[in-house]
Amino acid sequence: MLYRPFGKTGKNISVISFGGMRFSEPKDLQKSSESLLHAHDKGINYFDTAPIYCGDRSEDIFGHALRQLPRESFYVSTKCSRPNGADLRKSLERSLQRLGVEQIDFFYIWHLMTPTDWEQRKQGGAVEAALQAKEEGLIGHLLCSSHMEGEGLAQVLDDKIFEGVLLGYNAINFPYRRAAVEQAGKQGIGVVTMNPLGGGLIPQNPERFAFLKTATANDVVSAALQFNLSHPAITTALVGFSNTQEIDQAVAAADNFVPYSEAQQQQLQDNVETAFDGLCTGCGYCLPCPVGIPIPKYLDSYNQLILTNGDQQAVRDRYRMHWNITPQQAKECIRCGGCEERCTQHLPIMQRLAELPD
Ligand code: SF4
Ligand code: SF4
């Protein structure tokens, strides 16, 4: 396993990290714990969970497994999305108790979706409560997690409160998040990437993503992980594992890791355009919209309709669960046409907004 320094924290993190949001049988504490222990055996030392994952079972599974391991052999992270300081404190204390540790190594101000969210976390006291808990030693390092577009998130990082950031970054959406990764790199803070496999879309569409493959990564999963790890600012790729085979495959990708050269990376970025023929790449050039519609989020959701051959539920899950938006705002489009003139992919944006399922 390859390890990288996590920003300026003095901690070295495995480049593949364990995400606890996809246990296949979360009610089975023993079985779920085994996959976590297997990952630890393979050299993974960063374990990420959150309240509510897997029907609110994930933290209990982590606690069951981590109690069996030497404390100095792993780092654990969890999160809180509440804006109120007292609520955050309560959630943190419950996480500590469930995980069976005296300190959360990496604690996230969770799920920042908009600049307003960020203001609310500050004004509601959540940030202050987290910093206070850090003073008390209950938190090792404070980070944030976000689905905001790159520029907005870069501004949050500019406040210089966080020692690291968790963001979605992969071969599908990297243009949308690149600014935040660059900003984190400039600040020298840790970067954890979630969804390195595009929420499953990359392994489900191997032909479309075949362009990612290299001599040392001859399957799309390995290639997608190597794509992430090739970015010098990225510390670790967080993968939500469902079984031990997935762990072994990801660990093998790290073991065989050969960074893409700059020329290869440029080539890949160019190839994304071809691979995304008819798909939104999340580049954001269609913005701004005069009525404030977050077009890339809706068009990214519409991507699911194409990639899943018409599964409307996949689209709903994407905009509700991933982006936290509803189809109502898309219906406010006044059909000015500005976004379509600017779209790098020449997509029929107005038509797609109208076709989004309720
Ligand atoms: S066409 Fe609709 S979505 Fe596009 S910029 Fe105009 S109002 Fe916004
Ligand atoms: S709709 Fe077009 S311009 Fe807007 S993010 Fe998607 S690909 Fe980019």
Side-chain angles (χ1 to χ4, degrees), residues 286 288-291 293 295 332-340 342 349-350 353:
C286 48
C289 161
V291 290
I293 296 172
I295 302 165
E332 290 168 16
C333 169
I334 55 170
R335 301 185 68 81
C336 71
C339 56
E340 291 193 4
R342 294 186 291 270
I349 296 174
M350 294 182 280
L353 290 176

Side-chain angles (χ1 to χ4, degrees), residues 164-331:
V165 61
L166 170 61
L167 46 74
Y169 185 89
N170 55 50
I172 300 174
N173 68 9
F174 72 87
Y176 195 64
R177 297 270 158 62
R178 194 161 32 197
V181 174
E182 304 296 332
Q183 176 67 12
K186 267 190 227 147
Q187 288 183 11
I189 62 173
V191 177
V192 183
T193 57
M194 59 182 143
N195 281 328
L197 304 180
L201 283 176
I202 293 174
Q204 285 156 20
N205 296 274
E207 283 173 19
R208 193 182 278 268
F209 294 102
F211 69 91
L212 286 169
K213 293 197 258 181
T214 66
T216 54
N218 55 14
D219 64 89
V220 287
V221 170
S222 305
L225 292 172
Q226 295 210 20
F227 172 79
N228 268 35
L229 300 181
S230 290
H231 195 299
I234 291 175
T235 316
T236 183
L238 179 67
V239 186
F241 293 117
S242 303
N243 56 55
T244 53
Q245 288 87 344
E246 289 172 0
I247 295 168
D248 292 345
Q249 187 178 26
V251 170
D255 287 343
N256 297 325
F257 175 61
V258 177
Y260 293 164
S261 65
E262 273 189 31
Q264 273 177 311
Q265 290 192 50
Q266 188 55 54
Q267 181 69 53
L268 282 175
Q269 297 190 9
D270 295 345
N271 286 346
V272 164
E273 242 175 66
T274 315
F276 276 84
D277 191 24
L279 294 173
C280 171
T281 62
C283 65
Y285 285 105
C286 48
L287 296 172
C289 161
V291 290
I293 296 172
I295 302 165
K297 294 180 183 174
Y298 284 111
L299 271 284
D300 167 86
S301 304
Y302 191 95
N303 280 352
Q304 308 289 317
L305 207 56
I306 300 169
L307 292 168
T308 61
N309 291 323
D311 180 351
Q312 299 214 336
Q313 192 53 43
V315 185
R316 291 187 191 102
D317 287 349
R318 187 75 180 168
Y319 57 64
R320 294 211 170 104
M321 319 271 288
H322 184 82
W323 293 117
N324 201 18
I325 52 178
T326 63
Q328 276 66 42
Q329 198 185 357
K331 300 198 186 331

Side-chain angles (χ1 to χ4, degrees), residues 5-11 141 163 186-190:
F6 194 100
K8 299 168 189 161
T9 64
K11 298 189 162 92
H141 304 283
E163 295 177 81
K186 267 190 227 147
Q187 288 183 11
I189 62 173

